[in-house]
Amino acid sequence: MNLFDYIRPATLPEAIAAGARPGASYLAGGTALLDLMKIGVAHPGQVVDISRLPGLDRIERLDDGAIRIGALVRNADLARDPGFAAACPAVAEALLSGASAQVRNAATLAGNLMQHTRCAYFQDPHSACNRRNAGAGCDAIGGETRGHAVLGWSDACIATHPSDFAVPLVALDAVVEIAGPDGPRDMPLADFYALPDATTPGGVTLAPGELITALRLPPEAAGFAANARYVKLRERTSFAFALVSAAAMLRIEDDRIAAARVALGGVAARPWRSSAAEAALIGATPGTDIFETAADLMVKGAAASGDNGFKIALARRITTRALTLAAAGTPARMPALPASVFAPVTGTASHA
Amino acid sequence: MTLSITLVVNGDRHDVSLQDARPTLLDVLRDRIGLTGTKKGCDRGQCGACTVLVDGRRVNACLSLALTVDGADITTIEGLATGDDLHPVQSAFVACDGFQCGYCTPGQIMSAVGLIAEGDAGTDPERIREGMSGNICRCAAYPGITAAVLDAQARLADSERTNG
Ligand SMILES: Cc1cc2nc3c(=O)[nH]c(=O)nc-3n(C[C@H](O)[C@H](O)[C@H](O)COP(=O)(O)OP(=O)(O)OC[C@H]3O[C@@H](n4cnc5c(N)ncnc54)[C@H](O)[C@@H]3O)c2cc1C
Ligand code: SF4
Ligand code: FES
Ligand code: FES
């Protein structure tokens, strides 16, 4: 780890001023940044500890029914907040399927959304990587690509975004609240993660000094609470990043789908939505046929970026599974294995 | 520049001056305060060997910068027993063969203390396994670990009934 200066500003304006200096990096829970500093991928000259900034750790219901969550709310606290988990069960399930209890106790909302790709070549300072070093090239292409993208990638970058939390949030039209030297601004989370184009690798771009202060879920988000699931396929039962995941949320009225939200994780540089897939579900009676149609639309245009063509078939199946589970209804209690493909619909233990 | 922090570890106050900002809580506990019960496995949040309680919550000490926990109340494996009387979670690990080589054990026990305090798992072994999945055991003593957490919960519930 390189030497760095450490400061802990007392107010948001002080944090923004410190964060705007060249080489500065914000630190919240530290579980992602410290890891990258240890492996030599991040080397901030100044670490700006925002973990004690006042007023950023609240979960609020706004007058219009929107939910506002402060940037410093810890992942475990959000998942366990009874009001939030009841309103947005798929988000709680996604959170609880991520990392470990220890990491979730430290990890913050903003840190989770800002985490970098887990691309092994990004994490190896000796590999060429356009995300770390613009114009350097991409050593992932032609390398070990099991975890890489099958949608929205380019020859500039084939990385995926690793956050589970972000997947249902994008489906629910979450909005990121950002503060910075030029004042506050809002941005839809869906646009927050740029896809790569022919020459640039994509990712998050915040201006120097800008930081996330909160995340807002619109009032409609809670309307999916009765039929909302997250399903995450991993290489082991627990404590692993998603190979492919899906959030599915339905509003069912008179046995028909009145509204639908679907997003895939682990397949692109951002959680992947398809307006065609969601439109196809509307008005239909929930069932395997329509779910498979929607799943086909979710992966429309998908292409292997290496040795990962299997993820396209997997994404279709995980979409169908997530929709099937959502249609069956949100379980009364969080499943023992959140988001697991091993968890049966009834919620009884299958790994005993 | 010297930086100084204060930690209350297992009830004792420690003032520690750091040469630079880099040490993690794990390094300070082991190398500066001399409490080597907390282990370093991966140093990257992936194994749980370094689990301690910070203000009552289980976290990975290897992913906490010491400066960020300045002023915090830390509990490590050394702080659980009262004299020669083991903490109920420690006794349960002994009784249930919750370890072989013992390297992961301090982290397992601290994680179990955190899990029991969180109160989400109940007596469902599947929920306990999931809740303990941040602690890897190279010896694969997992069946004993799950049994120990169940046993410890029962012991703690019993002692609560007796004491209160
Ligand atoms: C072993 C392990 C397994 C994991 N498994 C999963 C998993 O399965 N699923 C999953 O989704 N995640 C997983 N994670 C990632 C984990 O969710 C992140 O490490 C965590 O959410 C980061 O939050 P933090 O507060 O600790 O961030 P930090 O490490 O403090 O910061 C992360 C980044 O965000 C920036 N940042 C922090 N706060 C702000 C802000 N307010 N505004 C702007 N920028 C900010 C920092 O500058 C830094 O670049 C895993 C992590 C580990 C270590
Ligand atoms: S896939 Fe993207 S993150 Fe990975 S090496 Fe290539 S450019 Fe870097
Ligand atoms: S040493 Fe901290 S998790 Fe492995
Ligand atoms: S007892 Fe040996 S690593 Fe767990």
Side-chain angles (χ1 to χ4, degrees), chain A residues 117-123 127-133 137-141 148 154-160 201:
Chain A
T117 178
R118 293 270 159 171
C119 170
Y121 302 88
F122 173 86
Q123 295 210 341
S127 294
C129 170
N130 285 325
R131 277 201 188 218
R132 262 190 290 104
N133 192 0
C138 169
D139 274 352
I141 293 174
H148 287 78
S154 80
D155 288 341
C157 178
I158 60 171
T160 57

Side-chain angles (χ1 to χ4, degrees), chain A residues 56 68-69 87 114 133 160 163 166-167 200 202 211 229 271 294 321:
Chain A
L56 299 181
R68 188 166 183 275
I69 312 154
M114 290 293 293
N133 192 0
T160 57
S163 169
V167 178
T200 46
L211 58 78
R229 291 304 299 268
R321 172 86 72 106

Side-chain angles (χ1 to χ4, degrees), chain A residues 5-255:
Chain A
D5 292 331
Y6 171 88
I7 65 157
R8 193 196 296 144
T11 65
L12 188 60
E14 279 170 46
I16 291 169
R21 282 185 215 132
S25 223
Y26 290 122
L27 176 123
T31 62
L33 183 66
L34 222 52
D35 190 34
L36 291 178
M37 289 167 69
K38 288 181 186 198
I39 60 175
V41 168
H43 15 73
Q46 186 175 50
V47 168
V48 182
D49 179 359
I50 57 172
S51 64
R52 300 191 197 188
L53 284 183
L56 299 181
D57 59 353
R58 287 197 290 265
I59 305 168
E60 306 162 272
R61 255 311 163 119
L62 306 181
D63 289 342
D64 63 355
I67 300 170
R68 188 166 183 275
I69 312 154
L72 293 176
V73 173
R74 308 281 167 167
N75 288 187
D77 294 337
L78 183 59
R80 223 182 267 130
D81 181 81
F84 178 77
C88 300
V91 181
E93 187 167 20
L95 278 169
L96 291 176
S97 76
S100 64
Q102 290 96 317
V103 172
R104 293 192 298 268
N105 271 343
T108 63
L109 172 138
N112 189 316
L113 298 178
M114 290 293 293
Q115 63 177 300
H116 285 282
T117 178
R118 293 270 159 171
C119 170
Y121 302 88
F122 173 86
Q123 295 210 341
D124 168 24
H126 304 292
S127 294
C129 170
N130 285 325
R131 277 201 188 218
R132 262 190 290 104
N133 192 0
C138 169
D139 274 352
I141 293 174
E144 284 288 329
T145 49
R146 192 170 167 76
H148 287 78
V150 292
L151 282 157
W153 55 272
S154 80
D155 288 341
C157 178
I158 60 171
T160 57
H161 194 266
S163 169
D164 292 299
F165 183 40
V167 178
L169 289 178
V170 163
L172 290 170
D173 287 335
V175 173
V176 184
E177 297 183 11
I178 299 164
D182 299 326
R185 65 182 175 113
D186 284 356
M187 192 178 205
L189 183 63
D191 302 335
F192 192 65
Y193 305 111
L195 291 176
D197 61 21
T199 51
T200 46
V204 175
T205 315
L206 289 177
E210 279 195 326
L211 58 78
I212 298 174
T213 51
L215 181 102
R216 225 170 46 240
L217 281 159
E220 310 82 77
F224 296 95
N227 295 89
R229 291 304 299 268
Y230 184 68
V231 178
K232 174 181 179 186
L233 187 91
R234 311 155 243 201
E235 305 272 21
R236 58 183 185 192
T237 304
S238 183
F239 199 16
F241 285 93
L243 196 53
V244 175
S245 68
M249 287 161 274
L250 302 171
R251 217 177 68 229
I252 300 175
E253 287 169 7
D254 302 326
D255 295 329

Side-chain angles (χ1 to χ4, degrees), chain B residues 5-16 25 28-30 33-35 38 52-53 69 71-79:
Chain B
I5 56 169
T6 302
L7 300 175
V8 178
V9 185
N10 304 328
D12 296 331
R13 187 191 150 115
H14 295 268
D15 297 307
V16 182
L25 172 59
V28 167
L29 287 172
R30 289 180 56 85
I33 299 180
L35 293 173
T38 308
V52 298
L53 306 184
V69 292
D73 204 345
I74 316 285
T75 309
T76 70
I77 189 71
E78 290 91 344

Side-chain angles (χ1 to χ4, degrees), chain A residues 265-294:
Chain A
V267 294
R270 67 158 66 130
W272 194 263
R273 263 176 95 175
S274 153
S275 50
E278 291 176 13
L281 289 162
I282 299 202
T285 310
T288 309
D289 289 350
I290 188 63
F291 294 159
E292 285 181 348
T293 303

